[in-house]
Amino acid sequence: MKRILTGIKGLDDMLDGGLPSSRFILVCGGPGSGKTIFGMQFLYNGATKHGENGLYVSLDESPSHLKEDMSAFGWDIESLEKEGKLAIIDASPIRTIPGEVKIGNFSIGKRDFNLLSLVEIIKKNVKEIGAKRIVIDPITSLILQYPDDSERRNAILDLFEAITDLGATCLISTELRATALEREIQAEEFLSHGVIVFHAFNDGGRLIRAIQIEKMRGISHDHQLRPYKIHENGIIVFAKETVLTNT
Amino acid sequence: MKRILTGIKGLDDMLDGGLPSSRFILVCGGPGSGKTIFGMQFLYNGATKHGENGLYVSLDESPSHLKEDMSAFGWDIESLEKEGKLAIIDASPIRTIPGEVKIGNFSIGKRDFNLLSLVEIIKKNVKEIGAKRIVIDPITSLILQYPDDSERRNAILDLFEAITDLGATCLISTELRATALEREIQAEEFLSHGVIVFHAFNDGGRLIRAIQIEKMRGISHDHQLRPYKIHENGIIVFAKETVLTNT
Amino acid sequence: MKRILTGIKGLDDMLDGGLPSSRFILVCGGPGSGKTIFGMQFLYNGATKHGENGLYVSLDESPSHLKEDMSAFGWDIESLEKEGKLAIIDASPIRTIPGEVKIGNFSIGKRDFNLLSLVEIIKKNVKEIGAKRIVIDPITSLILQYPDDSERRNAILDLFEAITDLGATCLISTELRATALEREIQAEEFLSHGVIVFHAFNDGGRLIRAIQIEKMRGISHDHQLRPYKIHENGIIVFAKETVLTNT
Amino acid sequence: MKRILTGIKGLDDMLDGGLPSSRFILVCGGPGSGKTIFGMQFLYNGATKHGENGLYVSLDESPSHLKEDMSAFGWDIESLEKEGKLAIIDASPIRTIPGEVKIGNFSIGKRDFNLLSLVEIIKKNVKEIGAKRIVIDPITSLILQYPDDSERRNAILDLFEAITDLGATCLISTELRATALEREIQAEEFLSHGVIVFHAFNDGGRLIRAIQIEKMRGISHDHQLRPYKIHENGIIVFAKETVLTNT
Amino acid sequence: MKRILTGIKGLDDMLDGGLPSSRFILVCGGPGSGKTIFGMQFLYNGATKHGENGLYVSLDESPSHLKEDMSAFGWDIESLEKEGKLAIIDASPIRTIPGEVKIGNFSIGKRDFNLLSLVEIIKKNVKEIGAKRIVIDPITSLILQYPDDSERRNAILDLFEAITDLGATCLISTELRATALEREIQAEEFLSHGVIVFHAFNDGGRLIRAIQIEKMRGISHDHQLRPYKIHENGIIVFAKETVLTNT
Amino acid sequence: MKRILTGIKGLDDMLDGGLPSSRFILVCGGPGSGKTIFGMQFLYNGATKHGENGLYVSLDESPSHLKEDMSAFGWDIESLEKEGKLAIIDASPIRTIPGEVKIGNFSIGKRDFNLLSLVEIIKKNVKEIGAKRIVIDPITSLILQYPDDSERRNAILDLFEAITDLGATCLISTELRATALEREIQAEEFLSHGVIVFHAFNDGGRLIRAIQIEKMRGISHDHQLRPYKIHENGIIVFAKETVLTNT
């Protein structure tokens, strides 16, 4: 299987040589765990080190805030945009599209229209810059529009199928609502080709951060928890260290 | 009772000689636990070692991705397909069949139509290649379509009865939503003839993987947790080892 | 109070001489805990050792599978059927009876009709073979048809009253959805004359099986947990042993 | 405050001289905890030792089963009935009263009719035998008919007010659905004058039974857990012993 | 900020000189924790030691029962009533007011009418005896009438605003449904000026009672748990002792 | 990134130089944790030490109570109001605005009108005093009006976008309903630029208070728990101390 280096040394070691190419990888984490940093670092490394252009699809945050935040790590996103190596799309308007929509004589709901819109936006932009890496951050707004479990599952699969056809490796972030290891597992974790979890848990008053490759189809990988840090140059993973808790 | 060897030595030892023939076995596990690998390994071993053809019914994943993933274990699925020893059906279209359906004057809902469709697809393919082993991976999409507990139970029983008539041994995978041993037990675990659980739990920062035969009607079996690994040639079970946790 | 020997030595000791006669005993357990084996063993011992005929009412499983499973314990159910000492009824058709039903001018729902049907089937068969022991396995399908707590309670009481008039001792199995001792207690445990619980819990990686007489009206009994095994001749209870866990 | 001796030595010690007279006492416990035995023992002691007649209102169980069960403790309920010292009413018919009911021009629901019926039945019987002790066992069937929290609370208060006017001390049993000490507390525990809890919990494999006076308005009392046993002559409470658990 | 002494020495010490004047203080506790005793003790001390008249608004319990219960502590409530220093109002009729209500052309629901009624009753009585201390015991019946979280919050705020105008210090009791320290915190705890919690929890078989000032706006206070007892003269708080648990 | 000093030494140290300017910071805490004190301290320090005017938007509490409470810390809010350095708005009327609202021909619901009203009130006041710091305390009333998860998320994002345009740094408080570290994480924690959590948890009977910067986009920060106190001059954070629990 072809591999895509994330450019984060420890993580690429855990992955035994990088992410599988042209697949869907879910990134789960709590608030402040570094999901957005990880996504941008994946694109930044692709554009600057591995010659692969990237597309960042932002559903909640404004591109200007994003770029300001990322400058803290010394990443000059704007220059990459100008060079055509990286594009950020503000997909938040799908939140405010009103009412029912018709395609020919077929009436589709607002929800499915939002899904179609997002796919169209992504396709168009991937083609424009020839992106090989896509980040969708986060998928939550879209998923919440489907309160029915069965519909939600189908919507996720539909999105995955549509994007897979583009031949790019896609990271999708999702929000972890519980800090504990005993969280309820969400449908998207079963439907993705790979799942990377950013853990944050309390050990007798001390907070511990660890990354785990919960699942990665088609490649052998380390499935243990490994400590990570958010450093001045982005995320660092300590692939040889173990996490030991007292409680 | 006639037995079917899974071809996984440690598991066949735990089963005291293999799975009961012509029965329904449920396989429960979290994301990345190896349910799909196990299913394919069961069919691969059947076709290559035990002279039994197999049918793989995929509800979420595309056959091309599946084959690419399995090549990591050195399993040449395509050759087996060409020799007529193994067939993979993409049953995902049952997700997108619209509306109400009529059989004669009797109107049945979309859900029951999907169930009937799946059974028809399976029957047809089992006959075509004379399959003695069936894998349905996963049953979740179908089950979620029945939000009512009573209807869901009946749908599962209807499916089991229809497949049982085919005389093949059938593995059905289902998703474990909680990583803990204290999960809520689902109806399908009570309705199956056998249940194999892939556990993954946290022991003070270290992840432990273990397989358990929760239930296997008609044969004596080991009911303790035993460690397992996903190895370069598929799943390995350590039937003589015990799982010891500190917390 | 008149007693009925289960024929399982350790359990009869815990019961200080057997189950109370002509009462309703609930049997709760998880998947693979041995509820069905216990029910059949109760009938088999009745027919072969204590001269009491038995009726087995199966709601989920086919009689042919049942008999095949039980042959593993050396119980020749078919011969007992031929001698008129044991009868197995397949009550699963009550799952598929359609729509509303009228009794005279009084319209009753499908649910209450299913309940009435089951009672009629049981009455008829109890008379035919003069059964002194009844097993209903499991009650779940019927209970799930009543989503309202108040209606469910009434349905259970109605069933218990109707069967009690027959003068036979009745075991009814029900599914335990949580493996922990801290499960939510169900209404039927309060409404039965006796409750026998098959526990399975995890003690630091080791699974422990234990039987407990949670309740048995009108007779003194051991209320502690006692280990049990599923042996080549059926269930064995170690009435003098205690269960000690480390966690 | 006037006191009523339960006749159970240890419990009367915990109560510093018996229950408060003419009040409502709730008795909470799991299946097999001894709620029914306790209620009957309270009436039996009243009738045989303290010259106070008693009324037992049974909502789930038949009087004949009750009397058979109680004979295990050597209590001859039938003789007391004949002497007019104790009466058992089978109030289960309130379960099967159909539809809406009118009082004059005022239409009341089935639920409120059931409540009124129960109160009328109790009033009539209390007068007939001059009962000073009442047991209602259990209140659950009635409470479940009010799914709305606010209505349920009002129904309980209405029942309590109506019965209080009769001048008798009333024990009402209710079902504890969780075995743990961390149960959710029910509205009726706040509305009663007193609450006696029958605990059963697991301590590393050993079951422990303990009685606790959670609340008893107007009298000083022991609020700690104390062990109890169901003995050949009924319930015994060890008021001087403490409960110590290891887990 | 002006202070109001509760007259309970240990609690006034924890409060560094008493409750803040003219504010709303919530009192949370389980059944039997002493909420009602505390409320009455607050009024009794006000009337007999601090020259401040008090109003007790009872929503669940009859005034006659209340007075009988309080006589156990040697508090002669009736004499205080006669001297015009303390008044008990039975506000339970607000439970039974039927249907919709009109004020001019404006139709308000039963719920809001009950709220208005309660406020009017309180205003009228506060004026009549010049009350400086108010106890509302409990607020639960009123709150349960608003099943919608948003409406409930508004109703609580409306009540607090209306009462605050009266210039009296007001204690409102509410029911704690879970015995554990990990309870879900209710909206009213956020909306009150102060919150006093009566804890009761299990420490390895031994019940521990402790009082905690969770919140008290505008004054410095002890926020640790401190043991308390219900003594023959009312509640005693041990402000210098700590609570130490083993589990 | 430009920084805004909170004026709380320990917290500014944890933030490595203050909050990021012109962003949305969420402040989560239980009742009595000091959310309101923190908000006012942020504005007071801004106005008196850093030359930045502030706006306090109160949704639940009256300005007069607020000012009285804050005088306990020696903060003379009224003088600052007169000097035009600080403004308190009572935004509680948005709770009582009735019915549906029309803007031109476009009918919007009460909920969205409340949101628009709040934004308008804030914009107007920010302009009037040239506020650089805004506190909204709490956001709960507004959020509860959206019971649907998807709508709620959109409302929060709409509010954040509208306020962000004003160029002021905005603290928004929200209520933590569980005292445990294992709480369910709310949507607003994912949508804010930063999250500060006020923890209060029980360690074997002793309550521990700690502050945690769960998230702060664009700046490096301490993510561990650090003890804090509510002191006579406001909140103090011990940025060099760790929290150690025994249980």
Side-chain angles (χ1 to χ4, degrees), chain A residues 1 218, chain B residues 65-77 232:
Chain A
M1 188 161 305
Chain B
H65 277 154
L66 267 177
K67 287 183 244 178
E68 197 182 356
D69 293 343
M70 293 309 131
S71 67
F73 301 106
W75 302 337
D76 184 354
I77 306 293
E232 54 182 8

Side-chain angles (χ1 to χ4, degrees), chain A:
Chain A
M1 188 161 305
K2 215 190 128 195
R3 296 300 179 84
I4 298 284
L5 287 169
T6 65
I8 297 170
K9 176 77 177 64
L11 183 60
D12 286 330
D13 287 350
M14 287 175 72
L15 287 163
D16 199 22
L19 293 167
S21 172
S22 307
R23 296 290 181 101
F24 254 82
I25 314 299
L26 198 74
V27 179
C28 309
S33 60
K35 296 182 300 296
T36 297
I37 297 167
F38 175 58
M40 205 56 105
Q41 196 168 355
F42 173 67
L43 297 189
Y44 183 82
N45 287 341
T48 59
K49 295 186 198 166
H50 308 293
E52 292 181 342
N53 292 347
L55 175 68
Y56 190 98
V57 184
S58 176
L59 280 114
D60 288 348
E61 185 56 286
S62 74
S64 63
H65 277 153
L66 267 177
K67 288 184 245 179
E68 197 181 358
D69 293 343
M70 292 309 130
S71 66
F73 302 106
W75 304 336
D76 184 353
I77 306 294
E78 219 141 291
S79 299
L80 291 175
E81 282 185 307
K82 283 177 192 149
E83 299 170 41
K85 294 182 172 169
L86 196 151
I88 302 181
I89 345 173
D90 180 0
S92 63
I94 67 164
R95 277 196 285 116
T96 52
I97 292 164
E100 290 291 310
V101 178
K102 282 201 167 195
I103 294 185
N105 288 320
F106 189 56
S107 168
I108 60 171
K110 183 187 170 188
R111 305 187 302 212
D112 294 318
F113 180 66
N114 285 349
L115 186 63
L116 276 179
S117 305
L118 182 65
V119 169
E120 286 313 308
I121 291 168
I122 293 174
K123 278 188 184 167
K124 188 173 151 287
N125 280 277
V126 163
K127 275 183 206 156
E128 271 182 26
I129 65 162
K132 287 289 168 208
R133 299 179 178 216
I134 304 171
V135 171
I136 303 175
D137 183 29
I139 197 65
T140 313
S141 293
L142 209 71
I143 285 179
L144 282 180
Q145 294 176 17
Y146 299 85
D148 176 75
D149 278 350
S150 177
E151 285 185 36
R152 184 178 294 193
R153 191 179 179 94
N154 284 345
I156 296 170
L157 281 171
D158 287 347
L159 176 66
F160 284 10
E161 279 173 23
I163 304 286
T164 295
D165 292 344
L166 300 174
T169 301
C170 186
L171 294 189
I172 294 192
S173 75
T174 190
E175 300 171 354
L176 218 56
R177 292 298 168 99
T179 57
L181 281 160
E182 282 79 15
R183 76 186 190 284
E184 190 190 0
I185 292 166
Q186 296 303 305
E188 46 273 34
E189 300 184 48
F190 287 98
L191 302 177
S192 304
H193 293 125
V195 179
I196 297 175
V197 183
F198 287 77
H199 290 281
F201 51 94
N202 175 44
D203 178 41
R206 184 175 58 106
L207 285 184
I208 292 178
R209 278 176 164 176
I211 204 167
Q212 178 202 8
I213 302 171
E214 186 182 68
K215 169 179 173 180
M216 200 59 66
R217 295 199 155 184
I219 66 172
S220 74
H221 58 88
D222 180 359
H223 68 274
Q224 288 295 334
L225 275 75
R226 304 293 171 195
Y228 77 97
K229 257 191 198 166
I230 300 177
H231 203 250
E232 54 183 8
N233 297 118
I235 288 171
I236 304 178
V237 177
F238 303 91
K240 296 214 166 63
E241 293 182 19
T242 55
V243 172
L244 284 176
T245 63
N246 298 313
T247 54

Side-chain angles (χ1 to χ4, degrees), chain E residues 113-132:
Chain E
F113 180 66
N114 285 349
L115 185 63
L116 276 177
S117 304
L118 183 65
V119 169
E120 285 314 307
I121 290 168
I122 293 174
K123 278 188 182 167
K124 187 175 152 286
N125 279 278
V126 163
K127 276 185 203 151
E128 271 183 25
I129 65 161
K132 287 290 168 205

Side-chain angles (χ1 to χ4, degrees), chain B residues 97-104 106-111 113-114:
Chain B
I97 292 163
E100 290 290 310
V101 178
K102 280 202 167 195
I103 294 185
F106 189 56
S107 166
I108 61 170
K110 183 185 169 189
R111 306 188 302 212
F113 179 67
N114 285 348

Side-chain angles (χ1 to χ4, degrees), chain C residues 67-81:
Chain C
K67 285 184 247 179
E68 197 181 356
D69 293 342
M70 293 309 132
S71 67
F73 302 106
W75 302 337
D76 184 353
I77 306 294
E78 220 142 290
S79 299
L80 292 175
E81 283 185 308

